[in-house]
Amino acid sequence: MNKKIRVLITDDEAELCDKIKNVLEQGWDNYVISAAYSGTEAISCLEKVEFDVLVTDIRMPGMSGIELMEKSNQIREDLQTIILTGHGDIDNAIEALRLGANNYLKKPVSAEVLHFAIMNAWEKKELNRKLRESEAQFRSMFEQNDASMLLTDPDTGDIVNANMASSEFYGYSLSELTGMNIRDINMLPEEQFGEDMRHVKSGRKKTLIFPHRLKNGKVRTVEAHFTPLEIHDKHLHFSIIHDIEERRQAEKALRESERRYRTLFDSASDAIFVHYFDGQIFDVNQAACERLGYDREELMQTVPKDFTSPEYAALTSKRMEELREKGHIVFESAQVRRNGEVIPVEESSRIIEYGGKKAVLTISRDIHERKKAEEEKKRLQEQIRQFQKMESIGTLAGGIAHDFNNILYSIIGYIDLTMDDVPRDGVIRSNLEQVLKASYRARGLVKQILTFSQQESRERVPLKIQYIIEEVLNLLRITLSANIEIRHSIKECGSILADSSQMHQVVMNLCINAYHAVDEKGGVITVLLNDTELGADDIAGYPDIEPGRYLRFSISDTGHGMDRKIMERIFDPYFTTKEQGKGSGLGLSVVHGIVKGHDGYITVCSEPGKGTAFHVYLPLISDPENVSEILPDKPLPRGNERVLLVDDEEQIVEMARQMLEKLGYNITALTNSVEALDAFRSHPENFDIVITDTTMPHMSGVELSEAILRIRPEIPIILCTGFSEFVTKDEVKAMGIREFVVKPVIRSDIAKAIRQALD
């Protein structure tokens, strides 16, 4: 599509409005988009610029989306409106559609759905425009035609309209004719006339012979050809009147008939070719000339094979034999324009008689858009399959994370307990701290898996990314072959506000991407980290980025590189240049999404044969006083209350019992949730708080909590989970459960959770 579609997006939420604008502009290049943040601003824009489509929120202060649509229709009658809503009110939907809205979409709406809605709205506008042009052409043909033409009401016989030829033929002025009834000029008896008109109305007859009286009193025999028309929702008869009393009138009628044929022939949107079986073309319409880029005389000197792509031209003889056998065939082909462009077409060929000789009438339809739609459908179906695959992987990951969290819970807990009995300045203490640090990193990776499987938002904290880079490089060196060299310059930089697991994912994905680029022949991977000052000129192409100090992480390789066409798509989901089994096409799109979500941006430089370099820019923050992976020792909150501890993992129960007893609590520990309920039911007054796992056989932690709360509604309960897709923190709180913690829980966290639940 060459024409840019002008879209006005209106929403009082400026951030959402701009986000929609950016997503559409980045996803498709056929838009010119403006944004307005109120109905009044939108009206001002509409008065100045001719927009094709208005996309507006339905609920806005000052002027609602429906009010905006009503006012905009007064300014631009052909403006197409799409209503967005976050509420899905059926009454508003009906009202909006009644007032002429093109579509009604419920937020949140995907970019693809909104794109298709805008395209449908634009196509409707174009259809309306073409309809107006068609009506204008019909009006021109009707008014300027030499043949007598009348538009009549089939129910009453009133003459609704007449052309100048009718006025000249009948001798009445146009105003006189349009004030008359057809019976005023038709001399047939009423009964016969009524019967004839009933035949016309039913479609049994389209041509009738009538005696018509002219204004001067003369009666002429005419032949009337009737065609039903619908104009402005009103059914009319369009009749062409021929005076058949004289040969001159017959000849004139013949010329008009030919003119009508040529008008229809040349006004057809499909290309039409008329040729003999040997391929000689003797007629083409205007659409054929425009499509192929030749004039009519040039095409008359060719045969269809001359402008058919080679792979289809080879089938011409076979097609003609099939046509001789069947009389009518439909097939797909491809035509080559004068400029070399190939256009996919669907052709319908049938045998006709022309000048007493058999000929072929071929109607050729451009199916380029249909092919694009089919390809898009396939692409979307493939995305759906990918989404379903990712959903399955997410479910599996969640289950693995649950079991691994229980293992980590025990590891972290026992290390925490052991460190209490080890001298602070000894080697054992230092080694245990390293194990604990690794366990925390494993806990972060499990949280990353859960974030992936559940699509949860993550908390951002002040972070020094150099530690993550060094950790990833150490891991990468283990897996690299000897012909790959890693060079790095990791400078001490400030802190960024980030999610450590997602930063780990960014560094790992870019390193793996560089590794794949040099894997076959070997090469050099270079990793750099430094901070830099970005001015207005540096970020000119990134409207969402503010000037200031940024951390710059760069990774380059000496691999095969990329051309510009590939670089334009490398951040698209599922796009990959790797062979099957070496990449899903998600890595770089995930990196792009994470970096953008952290208010940064990523650039890529590459040339075929010269390698590739990625540069990630993330905004620096003022360094906090402490950025540490292990919190400094602080006195833990203690207590002496009676705790009912329930978990089906014996190792976890024993570790948690020791941990809580060291904090001063009196522990009753059980590994069976049914036995725990029996113990509580027998002596509910013996317990001050309950701590239970979520996923357990026979009775889940949620079911156990609900049963306990029915016995003692006021008792504090802490629910622990390694992973659960069936319950959320808000749902847990709504049940009356005081606290909700995620395994692996470190001692300080469970100590705080107990005091918060009790106090």
Side-chain angles (χ1 to χ4, degrees):
M1 183 197 311
N2 294 326
K3 182 181 184 301
K4 296 285 187 178
I5 302 174
R6 299 197 67 90
V7 181
L8 177 61
I9 299 175
T10 305
D11 198 307
D12 59 307
E13 295 185 29
E15 183 178 352
L16 177 59
C17 188
D18 291 340
K19 181 179 179 182
I20 294 173
K21 177 178 181 294
N22 291 337
V23 168
L24 288 174
E25 287 178 338
Q26 292 171 8
W28 296 272
D29 61 1
N30 59 329
Y31 291 120
V32 176
I33 302 177
S34 301
Y37 307 119
S38 69
T40 302
E41 185 179 351
I43 292 296
S44 177
C45 292
L46 289 168
E47 290 174 344
K48 298 174 183 176
V49 179
E50 183 176 351
F51 288 94
D52 298 305
V53 180
L54 168 65
V55 180
T56 178
D57 187 23
I58 195 168
R59 295 193 177 184
M60 297 184 294
M63 183 186 300
S64 70
I66 290 180
E67 291 172 331
L68 172 58
M69 181 176 66
E70 291 179 314
K71 293 184 178 181
S72 66
N73 287 340
Q74 297 173 5
I75 300 171
R76 307 281 183 197
E77 290 184 358
D78 59 348
L79 180 68
Q80 300 296 311
T81 302
I82 297 172
I83 297 292
L84 300 180
T85 178
H87 305 279
D89 189 335
I90 188 63
D91 292 335
N92 283 336
I94 292 172
E95 178 65 8
L97 295 174
R98 186 186 68 80
L99 291 172
N102 183 275
N103 211 328
Y104 188 89
L105 302 177
K106 184 178 179 182
K107 298 178 185 175
V109 59
S110 71
E112 287 80 7
V113 170
L114 184 55
H115 168 66
F116 285 132
I118 293 174
M119 291 302 298
N120 286 336
W122 181 81
E123 289 171 0
K124 180 179 178 182
K125 180 183 176 182
E126 287 296 289
L127 184 62
N128 290 338
R129 177 183 63 77
K130 291 177 181 177
L131 181 61
R132 290 194 299 272
E133 291 175 355
S134 176
E135 289 176 350
Q137 290 173 357
F138 173 79
R139 189 179 302 110
S140 175
M141 180 207 61
F142 181 84
E143 294 173 355
Q144 300 176 22
N145 208 297
D146 293 337
S148 300
M149 296 181 179
L150 298 176
L151 281 176
T152 57
D153 188 324
D155 297 319
T156 64
D158 291 337
I159 299 174
V160 177
N161 203 350
N163 67 350
M164 186 57 66
S166 298
S167 174
E168 294 171 356
F169 174 68
Y170 289 107
Y172 294 99
S173 67
L174 290 177
S175 60
E176 287 175 324
L177 274 176
T178 54
M180 298 170 65
N181 190 283
I182 194 66
R183 293 175 177 82
D184 296 332
I185 57 177
N186 197 301
M187 302 303 295
L188 281 180
E190 176 60 29
E191 183 178 350
Q192 183 180 349
F193 175 73
E195 183 179 356
D196 285 346
M197 296 313 296
R198 284 191 293 273
H199 289 323
V200 171
K201 192 173 181 180
S202 66
R204 286 190 294 238
K205 290 185 179 180
K206 295 185 178 180
T207 303
L208 292 171
I209 306 297
F210 293 121
H212 276 193
R213 182 173 58 196
L214 310 185
K215 187 174 183 179
N216 61 12
K218 292 181 179 181
V219 177
R220 307 284 284 186
T221 302
V222 300
E223 185 180 66
H225 300 272
F226 291 93
T227 302
L229 287 182
E230 185 176 328
I231 300 178
H232 302 307
D233 298 327
K234 185 172 181 61
H235 293 284
L236 299 174
H237 277 162
F238 169 55
S239 57
I240 302 176
I241 312 298
H242 296 293
D243 184 352
I244 59 175
E245 286 191 1
E246 299 176 7
R247 184 179 181 83
R248 181 181 59 82
Q249 289 298 101
E251 292 173 349
K252 180 180 179 181
L254 184 60
R255 289 195 300 272
E256 292 302 323
S257 177
E258 171 61 25
R259 187 176 292 115
R260 287 196 304 276
Y261 160 76
R262 178 51 62 181
T263 300
L264 292 172
F265 190 70
D266 282 335
S267 63
S269 58
D270 292 331
I272 302 176
F273 305 87
V274 187
H275 58 90
Y276 293 117
F277 274 90
D278 63 4
Q280 178 189 349
I281 295 174
F282 55 85
D283 204 0
V284 296
N285 70 346
Q286 187 61 32
C289 298
E290 292 174 355
R291 178 189 296 174
L292 297 174
Y294 299 96
D295 59 34
R296 187 170 182 273
E297 287 69 27
E298 288 175 316
L299 284 177
M300 298 280 279
Q301 303 300 316
T302 67
V303 295
K305 288 179 68 173
D306 293 339
F307 48 80
T308 302
S309 63
E311 67 271 23
Y312 289 103
L315 301 173
T316 300
S317 298
K318 182 180 178 181
R319 300 285 192 208
M320 291 299 99
E321 287 301 318
E322 185 181 2
L323 179 60
R324 288 181 188 274
E325 292 176 7
K326 298 180 179 179
H328 176 225
I329 58 173
V330 178
F331 55 93
E332 287 192 6
S333 183
Q335 295 175 341
V336 182
R337 288 173 52 85
R338 188 173 206 151
N339 62 7
E341 179 186 357
V342 178
I343 302 172
V345 295
E346 180 182 76
E347 298 192 330
S348 172
S349 295
R350 66 174 62 250
I351 298 175
I352 62 170
E353 291 287 337
Y354 190 88
K357 186 177 178 180
K358 284 188 176 181
V360 179
L361 171 68
T362 297
I363 300 175
S364 176
R365 174 164 295 176
D366 184 343
I367 58 173
H368 178 256
E369 290 300 323
R370 190 172 82 189
K371 287 291 187 182
K372 282 177 58 179
E374 290 172 355
E375 291 173 2
E376 179 66 13
K377 181 180 179 181
K378 289 180 182 178
R379 188 184 70 81
L380 291 175
Q381 288 174 339
E382 179 60 26
Q383 282 195 4
I384 290 172
R385 284 192 290 271
Q386 289 285 355
F387 290 149
Q388 290 171 341
K389 184 194 299 183
M390 300 304 287
E391 184 179 11
S392 299
I393 293 173
T395 302
L396 176 63
I400 294 172
H402 171 264
D403 293 337
F404 193 54
N405 267 336
N406 280 336
I407 297 171
L408 279 177
Y409 191 11
S410 297
I411 293 172
I412 293 174
Y414 279 114
I415 292 173
D416 207 0
L417 290 170
T418 304
M419 287 175 66
D420 289 344
D421 302 323
V422 174
R424 291 184 175 276
D425 54 355
V427 175
I428 296 177
R429 172 81 178 201
S430 175
N431 290 342
L432 287 175
E433 285 180 349
Q434 293 303 315
V435 175
L436 192 59
K437 182 185 294 186
S439 299
Y440 287 161
R441 174 62 66 195
R443 181 179 67 169
L445 291 175
V446 172
K447 286 183 179 180
Q448 183 179 338
I449 293 173
L450 291 176
T451 300
F452 166 74
S453 64
Q454 299 175 333
Q455 297 184 359
E456 293 176 345
S457 59
R458 296 294 310 275
E459 181 181 359
R460 298 180 188 177
V461 296
L463 179 71
K464 288 186 179 292
I465 196 174
Q466 48 264 44
Y467 303 130
I468 293 176
I469 296 173
E470 291 170 353
E471 180 181 318
V472 171
L473 291 181
N474 289 334
L475 179 62
L476 195 62
R477 286 190 181 94
I478 299 173
T479 61
L480 293 182
S481 55
N483 63 345
I484 299 176
E485 178 186 356
I486 295 181
R487 300 173 183 172
H488 63 87
S489 174
I490 312 297
K491 295 186 178 180
E492 185 68 24
C493 298
S495 300
I496 59 173
L497 192 63
D499 170 4
S500 62
S501 296
Q502 289 187 335
M503 287 300 105
H504 192 277
Q505 192 173 4
V506 168
V507 176
M508 180 64 78
N509 280 346
L510 290 177
C511 286
I512 290 174
N513 192 73
Y515 162 66
H516 284 159
V518 298
D519 186 23
E520 292 184 4
K521 298 181 180 179
V524 178
I525 297 174
T526 304
V527 179
L528 305 173
L529 180 71
N530 62 291
D531 53 24
T532 184
E533 184 79 27
L534 295 182
D537 294 339
D538 300 314
I539 58 174
Y542 302 91
D544 297 331
I545 302 300
E546 297 291 336
R549 292 195 60 74
Y550 280 75
L551 177 148
R552 179 169 60 194
F553 165 57
S554 303
I555 180 164
S556 60
D557 61 72
T558 58
H560 44 72
M562 299 176 286
D563 58 30
R564 180 169 296 277
K565 187 176 181 181
I566 292 178
M567 282 199 296
E568 290 173 354
R569 296 193 60 196
I570 57 172
F571 295 122
D572 291 350
Y574 307 111
F575 176 77
T576 179
T577 59
K578 301 182 181 75
E579 62 186 68
Q580 188 171 1
K582 281 198 172 183
S584 65
L586 284 171
L588 290 178
S589 67
V590 169
V591 168
H592 182 268
I594 292 174
V595 171
K596 187 175 181 182
H598 283 74
D599 300 322
Y601 69 98
I602 181 171
T603 64
V604 58
C605 302
S606 184
E607 288 185 38
K610 295 186 178 180
T612 303
F614 288 91
H615 304 284
V616 175
Y617 296 85
L618 296 167
L620 289 167
I621 61 172
S622 300
D623 279 338
E625 293 182 2
N626 292 297
V627 180
S628 175
E629 293 207 16
I630 300 179
L631 297 174
D633 291 337
K634 292 182 180 179
L636 298 177
R638 303 170 62 83
N640 57 7
E641 285 85 356
R642 298 162 297 176
V643 179
L644 175 59
L645 177 65
V646 189
D647 196 301
D648 61 313
E649 296 280 348
E650 291 186 8
Q651 192 177 36
I652 291 177
V653 168
E654 178 58 26
M655 177 274 297
R657 183 188 62 75
Q658 292 184 41
M659 181 185 294
L660 296 179
E661 284 180 346
K662 279 195 172 187
L663 293 174
Y665 295 102
N666 296 304
I667 308 301
T668 299
L670 295 170
T671 58
N672 186 298
S673 53
V674 176
E675 292 177 2
L677 179 59
D678 291 339
F680 187 87
R681 185 182 287 115
S682 299
H683 301 285
E685 72 283 353
N686 286 355
F687 303 101
D688 300 310
I689 188 170
V690 177
I691 302 175
T692 177
D693 186 26
T694 302
T695 305
M696 296 182 292
H698 309 303
M699 178 182 289
S700 70
V702 173
E703 293 170 333
L704 174 62
S705 300
E706 290 175 336
I708 288 175
L709 288 171
R710 284 195 292 271
I711 299 170
R712 274 185 61 188
E714 80 287 353
I715 188 166
I717 297 177
I718 297 175
L719 191 66
C720 303
T721 180
F723 164 73
S724 177
E725 61 181 6
F726 304 110
V727 65
T728 65
K729 186 173 183 179
D730 292 337
E731 290 171 342
V732 164
K733 290 295 183 72
M735 296 176 192
I737 297 172
R738 300 280 181 89
E739 295 294 329
F740 181 79
V741 294
V742 179
K743 296 178 183 177
V745 188
I746 62 176
R747 181 164 50 167
S748 60
D749 289 344
I750 193 65
K752 293 175 184 176
I754 292 173
R755 293 323 312 168
Q756 288 174 351
L758 287 168
D759 301 337

